[in-house]
Amino acid sequence: MQTTKFRGNPFYLGDEDIAWVENTLASMTEDQKIGQLFFLITYGKDAAQTENIVNKVRAGGVMCRCMPIDELTDVLGEMQKKSAIPLLVAANLEAGGNGIVAQGTLVGSQMSVAATGDPENAARLGEVCAEEGRAVGANYAFAPVCDIDYNFRNPITNTRTYGADPAVVAECASRYVRECQSRGLAVSVKHFPGDGRDERDQHLCTTVNDLSCEEWDKTYGAIYSRLIKEGAKTFMVGHIMQPAYSKALNPALKDSEIMPASLSKELLCGLLRGKLGFEGLIITDATTMAGFDAAMPRNKAVPAAVAAGCDMFLFTKNLDEDYAFMKEGVKNGTVTRERLDEAVARILALKASLGLHRKDNRPSLENALKVVGCEKFSGYAAKVADESITLVKEEEGVLPLTPEKYKRVLVYDIESGENPLGYARASGIFEKVRPLLEKEGFAVTRFVPRPGNEGKTMAFRDIADNYDLILYFCNLATKSNQTTVRIEWLNPMGSNVPRYVTSVPTVFISTENPYHLLDVPMVRTYINTYGLNDATLPCLIDKLAGRSKFVGKSPVDPFCGKWDARR
């Protein structure tokens, strides 16, 4: 590969940087080059995992799941100390520093940022992710999410996106990219060729972006083009098919031969590198997903991803096996020596563009404690919470809520289960809300269903005569490996359904999913918060009480196209 390309967008390397890339590449054995292709994962302090990453595989990068600040700085310090070539260190820094460190600031979901209507909040999000990330040893954000939330049934995009308007997505993502990279943290535009069209989850099957080439160019393509010009250093490719472009770029391609982007030379070399002109690093999305595994046998898919145009391979299902598959792919020519050198050169160029070869990359706990969770960043989070909360629809005369109008309040809380990947923003919503309501002077009762079927359920008068107000707090977070985000009502016979809306003033608050009006169209006062940070519930109470205005604007259609939900 011509390393002179690295002088331009997005790496902008000087002579000394290019010399380091060339000299390092020339000195590497084939096994060392193969190791650089792998981007592995760490969940915490684990001597065996550290050994695998830095000595056994000699990986090019490591992704961190969220862990305590002292453990994180220790783990990354040890890994960088033992690595002959500095490691790329990444995390899902989509909503704040909380994506990598337990004490990090949760600024807000990308959708909450978009709901503020102020792109400067996207820049603030980028600032927090970069500063808190770098303080604990990260140099790479697996963000921003540049998917467009066209399909309200998609269980994974949702609040992780900047919404359904490509122009808003482009502007917010651009501000994030600019701010993040100016502070020394590489970004990863994800998930090319674009999630949000399909209602399925690529963790569970290969999904589809079904737009025509012309429609794609005006939407996803326009976003990607802008971010490439903005200097985004890397793209993360999804296990998502784009049939229109695959066939346009290869008319001989049969339907059965269409591959997800992570395995598609048409989409990677023809579209992303060719038509869009991207010269940065391409990394797969997690290859542990069924969307990748189901496309072809894994022994073929592992090297095929690199052969198709991916420079780095994210995660392994079985470390020894996948490493052996990659080695065999190089040996049998699936990955040519030229293609291997090209991928490794880009990996080294990304590292050089971040200056990793010129500095000590071990984080300082003392410095991290000064940056992570600081007052300035907490202020950003409070600002996003205050400006994003959206009053979607309002029944005349219900708001504001005061104990003089509604002394006796019945609270229905609807919770999601534990989320192992950390997308859920909160749990125990009733325990958080109750003291805030009681401080306002309300007498609060939690709804508990009464056992029994027809003829034996709770009487209408039990609710209508004993409560002045009904509040719903629905905390159902989107997450991977699920097929839908809908409310599952309690037995018997949906006992917690909003059935008293014509008898008792009712307010429904969704703290996570902005699309619950699909299931509660009868509700006449409905509010979205797009997630919970430390400031969200206090800000919400202020707005319900009339001390603060609702100023958030929905970045998506909260009515899900249903006419009855608007009534």
Side-chain angles (χ1 to χ4, degrees), residues 227-286:
L227 297 180
I228 289 170
K229 291 176 183 177
E230 198 72 60
K233 293 179 186 288
T234 85
F235 265 66
M236 178 178 285
V237 297
H239 314 307
I240 303 167
M241 294 182 283
Q242 217 300 321
Y245 254 116
S246 292
K247 289 187 173 184
L249 292 165
N250 184 359
L253 204 62
K254 299 176 183 178
D255 285 355
S256 60
E257 297 171 330
I258 294 174
M259 288 286 115
S262 50
L263 291 164
S264 171
K265 192 166 186 177
E266 292 83 13
L267 296 180
L268 296 176
C269 297
L271 182 54
L272 183 53
R273 292 227 187 272
K275 183 178 175 68
L276 297 182
F278 179 63
E279 288 293 345
L281 182 137
I282 298 175
I283 184 170
T284 69
D285 203 345

Side-chain angles (χ1 to χ4, degrees), residues 369-446:
L369 289 169
K370 294 177 183 176
V371 176
V372 173
C374 68
E375 185 176 348
K376 177 183 181 182
F377 296 160
S378 296
Y380 288 173
K383 180 177 177 62
V384 168
D386 180 59
E387 296 176 2
S388 63
I389 298 172
T390 304
L391 180 59
V392 174
K393 68 176 186 177
E394 177 184 6
E395 183 178 6
E396 186 176 353
V398 171
L399 298 177
L401 308 183
T402 66
E404 290 74 29
K405 288 170 64 177
Y406 311 112
K407 181 66 176 180
R408 302 167 300 172
V409 178
L410 180 63
V411 173
Y412 290 74
D413 57 314
I414 302 169
E415 290 274 8
S416 60
E418 182 183 0
N419 182 348
L421 289 184
Y423 293 136
R425 309 297 189 225
S427 61
I429 190 72
F430 179 76
E431 287 74 17
K432 292 177 171 64
V433 166
R434 181 173 188 165
L436 296 176
L437 293 173
E438 289 180 339
K439 185 178 179 181
E440 294 291 317
F442 297 105
V444 179
T445 302
R446 186 182 196 177

Side-chain angles (χ1 to χ4, degrees), residues 189-210:
V189 177
K190 63 184 189 185
H191 305 84
F192 177 87
D195 207 344
R197 291 290 303 174
D198 207 325
E199 66 183 74
R200 296 165 295 183
D201 177 2
Q202 58 178 309
H203 292 79
L204 305 176
C205 69
T206 307
T207 60
V208 179
N209 182 311
D210 62 355

Side-chain angles (χ1 to χ4, degrees), residues 6-50:
F6 299 151
R7 294 184 185 278
N9 186 357
F11 296 137
Y12 300 106
L13 300 188
D15 291 342
E16 291 184 7
D17 300 324
I18 289 176
W20 178 80
V21 171
E22 293 176 340
N23 293 336
T24 302
L25 183 65
S27 70
M28 295 171 74
T29 66
E30 186 170 275
D31 282 356
Q32 288 173 327
K33 292 176 182 178
I34 291 170
Q36 284 292 298
L37 302 176
F38 285 91
F39 214 107
L40 302 181
I41 190 168
T42 182
Y43 293 88
K45 194 167 186 179
D46 183 329
Q49 180 71 347
T50 297

